[in-house]
Amino acid sequence: FPVTAEVFLSSHLNICSDPSFESGALGEWKLSGSSKACFVEKNKSNARTGDWTYKYWLGGAFTSILSRTFKNIPNGTYTYKIRAMGGGGENSIQIFAEDFGGKTMQTQVVNTGWKMWKEYTVSDIKVTNNMLTVGISLDTNAGNWGNFDDVEVYKQ
């Protein structure tokens, strides 16, 4: 059988384990909202890399927050990146960083279509208390859908 591998070279260390949700579970991520609307999906055609993504969709409007907290990390300046694609039309999608000893930082996400992956970043996060929470906040209309993949959290 032929063997294939995806190799990524980077000058930084990603502290986010399972950044592409390939475990098939949310793991250390915490969902505040409906698990019927927000879940981990195995569908290679909806994934940027691998087979799995964090997916959202529901026939009705909903709000949710997916977050992950990193504790006992070295103080310093961090970056949070995630890739997103979806149908668009949501009231609001934000990625955010908080609990780091400063004011919450946010970046607006705008989906523009299927397989139209875009990278979104919150950078220059000044961690002063050895902790950082990152996440995704959704405020959707009925039928909105999208996928997130390839999370990166690293010290600059």
Side-chain angles (χ1 to χ4, degrees):
F1 295 97
V3 176
T4 60
E6 291 184 41
V7 177
F8 298 95
L9 299 177
S10 175
S11 62
H12 55 264
L13 174 66
N14 189 359
I15 64 171
C16 183
S17 58
D18 196 22
S20 189
F21 303 98
E22 296 305 306
S23 69
L26 288 177
E28 296 179 45
W29 293 89
K30 178 186 168 195
L31 177 63
S32 174
S34 171
S35 60
K36 290 181 182 180
C38 302
F39 48 91
V40 195
E41 175 192 51
K42 183 177 185 181
N43 182 342
K44 189 167 184 66
S45 65
N46 283 343
R48 181 175 174 270
T49 61
D51 294 325
W52 293 81
T53 62
Y54 173 63
K55 165 92 175 180
Y56 66 91
W57 178 86
L58 193 66
F62 69 92
T63 60
S64 70
I65 296 174
L66 182 72
S67 62
R68 182 165 177 181
T69 300
F70 300 90
K71 295 180 179 179
N72 301 314
I73 61 173
N75 287 335
T77 305
Y78 286 78
T79 296
Y80 164 42
K81 290 184 183 181
I82 195 165
R83 283 70 175 184
M85 70 97 174
E90 295 85 0
N91 294 321
S92 175
I93 306 173
Q94 301 273 340
I95 65 166
F96 63 87
E98 61 186 14
D99 300 331
F100 54 86
K103 187 177 172 183
T104 298
M105 300 171 71
Q106 301 175 345
T107 297
Q108 184 76 25
V109 173
V110 179
N111 287 324
T112 59
W114 185 58
K115 295 218 180 258
M116 302 294 293
W117 288 100
K118 293 182 183 174
E119 180 179 281
Y120 295 93
T121 304
V122 178
S123 59
D124 298 323
I125 306 162
K126 309 264 191 263
V127 173
T128 60
N129 61 357
N130 303 105
M131 188 169 91
L132 170 61
T133 298
V134 298
I136 304 162
S137 174
L138 298 169
D139 180 358
T140 73
N141 296 300
N144 288 150
W145 62 271
N147 299 76
F148 293 89
D149 208 354
D150 301 326
V151 180
E152 291 180 73
V153 179
Y154 59 90
K155 189 173 180 190
Q156 293 174 211

